[in-house]
Amino acid sequence: MIDLSTLDLVIIIALFAIILSVGVYVGRTSGKDTAQYFLSGRSMPWWLLGLSMVATTFSTDTPNLVTDIVRTNGVSGNWVWWAFLVTGLLTVFVYAKLWRKSEVNTDIEFYELRYGGKPGKFLRVFRAVYLGIIFNVLAMAGVTLAAIKIGEVMLGLDPFTTVVIAGLITVVFSAIGGFKGVVYTDFILFFVAMAGAFGAAYYIVGMPEIGGLDALISHENVKDKLNILPDFDDTSTLITLLIIPLAVQWWSSWYPGSEPGGGGYVAQRMLAAKDENHAIGATFFYNIMHYAIRPWPWILVALASLVVFPDLASIQEAFPNVSEDKLGHDLAYSAMLTMLPSGLLGLVLASLSAAYMSTISTHLNWGASYVVNDVYAQQIKPEASEKELVAVGRVTTVILMVISAIIALALTNALQLFDIILMFGAGTGLIFILRWFWWRINAWTEISAMIASGVISLLIAFTPLGETLFGDGGVFPAYAKFPFVVFSSTLIWGIVTFITQPESKEVLYRFYKKTQPGGPGWKKVLDDAHEDQEELIQTTEAWSVPSGILAMLIGCVFIYSAMFTMGYFIYGETTKAFALLATCIISGFILSRVWKKIKGKVL
């Protein structure tokens, strides 16, 4: 536990006062109707939405998760989420404009645009509950778990007290301000959070216990954790940490903020953009910040923690007040922050509070939008007024917060929850990519995929089947668990797709005319178009997906090069760093040329 100085308290209180003031101020207009409350009237510029995406994913559990990964698997273990860059850039160059064209209020409303009849209506409600409530509260529970650990280690608070204080402030702000309040405060929270992360890393690396960057990099506890790529001679580790994430995970698994084809709160921000170009600009800016710049302060603190707290026993010894069920490697990040001086400590605590509020408020508004638009307004009370719908959104915000807090109290570490969510959504991602470009995907495809991936994951995780298949001496090696779930669920939804009826021509025509996805996957539909659908054929745009995929690949080279350039400069390996910097500059130039051919200037 640490004692906060007057300066620390002033910084923290000032931040909360500013955030709540913004929430109250914008709440006067955001409560007018659901379009304002959940999408801010579709008038947001790219830079504000991009900053909001970065701030939202800068949650309290992210540095904890990175610390857990680095301490357990080294820096290369981060490929488990670095691989999602491919997903992110596919959204930028292919799907962002499609989402904006759809003009839906939530990405769940998309289901009744793409699918028809009772299966489409059922899928919309089922998916709203599945994502907006179940997955959403799990994600929020992970963020709240991180807040609990920070409260225990840094402030000596018990878990319940932390949950009440953090949750109450955030839920009041979220309920009042709506989406506009979230985005406007994200602008402030972004700079506070970045300043706190970089300031903490700079100070911690320079502490006498660490001895500077060179001493950190050469330390016995650290030097075998530095590799950006896994050891190619260790087949099992290579497959687990690099090959599966890059070859399978990015396109097959649903994860909040990294959905194949876009979705969730990223889609919410694209839908709130002024136009297609602003939606594209926002998501591209987000991916640059999220992958190329932000990870390294967290990684440096994680590496430094191996010097000060080499194992769990040393953490427990230093912080005996931490409850047994919350002891994990992710606790090391908070443990290191206790060493910060007055002023910087207040800034970092304020930044962590900012990160918590930004992420939770986004999840609350996003989840409430599903409950209001896709459940209450569609199935419970279609005649409800806009004022009533906003009220339901605010009540839902409170309920979601309470449920997530209860779950957080039962969790142990961030990586535990990350693995659960990743496995539970395995096999569904490919559908989210294909449904825009292949007419044969239907509502039963998605329903069967969600059920199959969920059931198979539960059987492997909680029955003897998992041990039989992937345990010591099992049928398959342990790293085959994730691909097995992907293959099994994909096989099931593929069979279901072809044994069920396709969507009606009317539904397919309506969807195609609205979004203009193009491509050979719609050839049969266009060939079968009736004479009264001539307008559908005449308005078909040139298919830009091949060029978009090329831009995605070049963009991956550009952002990965930028990320690794920073890493190798930190490591002092300047030859590699300058080579990667040159690669970054060249790929960035090529990307700008390719993109101009696709759409012209983005911004």
Side-chain angles (χ1 to χ4, degrees), residues 15 23 27 49 91 100 104 143 186 199 230 263 300-301 336 385-386 413 447 459 465 467 496 508-509 544 547 566 577:
L15 177 68
L49 292 172
T91 298
R100 191 61 186 80
V104 293
V143 179
D186 276 348
L300 284 172
V301 174
M336 294 301 296
S385 66
E386 288 293 318
N413 64 69
I447 294 170
L459 288 174
L465 179 63
E467 190 65 26
V496 169
L508 295 173
Y509 290 157
S544 62
S547 298
M566 186 176 294

Side-chain angles (χ1 to χ4, degrees), residues 111-272:
Y111 289 105
E112 284 197 67
L113 175 65
R114 176 62 176 82
Y115 309 119
K118 291 182 178 179
K121 292 181 181 294
F122 169 77
L123 180 59
R124 180 175 179 178
V125 175
F126 180 76
R127 192 73 176 164
V129 174
Y130 183 82
L131 292 183
I133 297 178
I134 298 174
F135 267 74
N136 194 27
V137 297
L138 285 175
M140 286 193 293
V143 179
T144 302
L145 173 65
I148 289 172
K149 296 195 174 193
I150 292 169
E152 281 191 316
V153 170
M154 302 188 71
L155 303 174
L157 300 175
D158 64 88
F160 183 77
T161 303
T162 300
V163 165
V164 171
I165 295 174
L168 186 61
I169 294 173
T170 305
V171 80
V172 169
F173 158 73
S174 302
I176 293 174
F179 180 76
K180 184 181 289 186
V182 171
V183 173
Y184 281 16
T185 54
D186 276 348
F187 177 78
I188 302 169
L189 301 181
F190 166 81
F191 293 103
V192 175
M194 291 295 285
F198 278 92
Y202 180 81
Y203 180 84
I204 286 171
V205 169
M207 292 191 312
E209 295 90 334
I210 306 301
L213 194 56
D214 291 340
L216 173 64
I217 299 304
S218 60
H219 195 278
E220 192 66 29
N221 295 351
V222 172
K223 60 185 181 183
D224 64 339
K225 301 284 188 181
L226 296 174
N227 290 337
I228 292 175
L229 294 173
D231 184 359
F232 278 62
D233 293 327
D234 186 343
T235 304
S236 178
T237 301
L238 179 65
I239 293 174
T240 303
L241 299 184
L242 185 64
I243 294 178
I244 288 177
L246 283 177
V248 181
Q249 180 183 298
W250 72 266
W251 57 263
S252 65
S253 186
W254 183 95
Y255 191 80
S258 301
E259 301 88 344
Y265 48 75
V266 172
Q268 185 186 30
R269 279 151 179 76
M270 291 189 287
L271 293 169

Side-chain angles (χ1 to χ4, degrees), residues 387-468:
K387 185 177 180 180
E388 180 179 347
L389 292 177
V390 171
V392 172
R394 285 171 170 158
V395 172
T396 302
T397 296
V398 176
I399 294 172
L400 290 175
M401 185 71 237
V402 172
I403 296 173
S404 66
I406 293 171
I407 295 174
L409 293 171
L411 293 172
T412 300
N413 64 69
L415 192 57
Q416 169 195 21
L417 190 63
F418 180 87
D419 290 338
I420 290 172
I421 294 177
L422 203 61
M423 186 70 72
F424 211 78
T428 60
L430 186 59
I431 298 172
F432 305 144
I433 292 175
L434 292 178
R435 64 189 182 183
W436 294 88
F437 299 108
W438 186 28
W439 70 277
R440 194 61 181 81
I441 296 290
N442 61 33
W444 292 111
T445 306
E446 295 211 27
I447 294 170
S448 62
M450 286 186 290
I451 294 173
S453 63
V455 170
I456 294 169
S457 297
L458 291 174
L459 288 174
I460 291 175
F462 300 108
T463 72
L465 179 63
E467 190 65 26
T468 301

Side-chain angles (χ1 to χ4, degrees), residues 65-85:
L65 173 64
V66 171
T67 300
D68 201 338
I69 289 171
V70 171
R71 288 174 64 90
T72 305
N73 296 316
V75 174
S76 62
N78 285 287
W79 280 103
V80 73
W81 67 275
W82 285 345
F84 282 126
L85 172 64

Side-chain angles (χ1 to χ4, degrees), residues 547-568:
S547 298
I549 292 174
L550 176 61
M552 175 200 74
L553 295 173
I554 299 170
C556 284
V557 174
F558 170 66
I559 293 178
Y560 280 139
S561 297
M563 183 201 304
F564 302 150
T565 295
M566 186 176 294
Y568 283 120

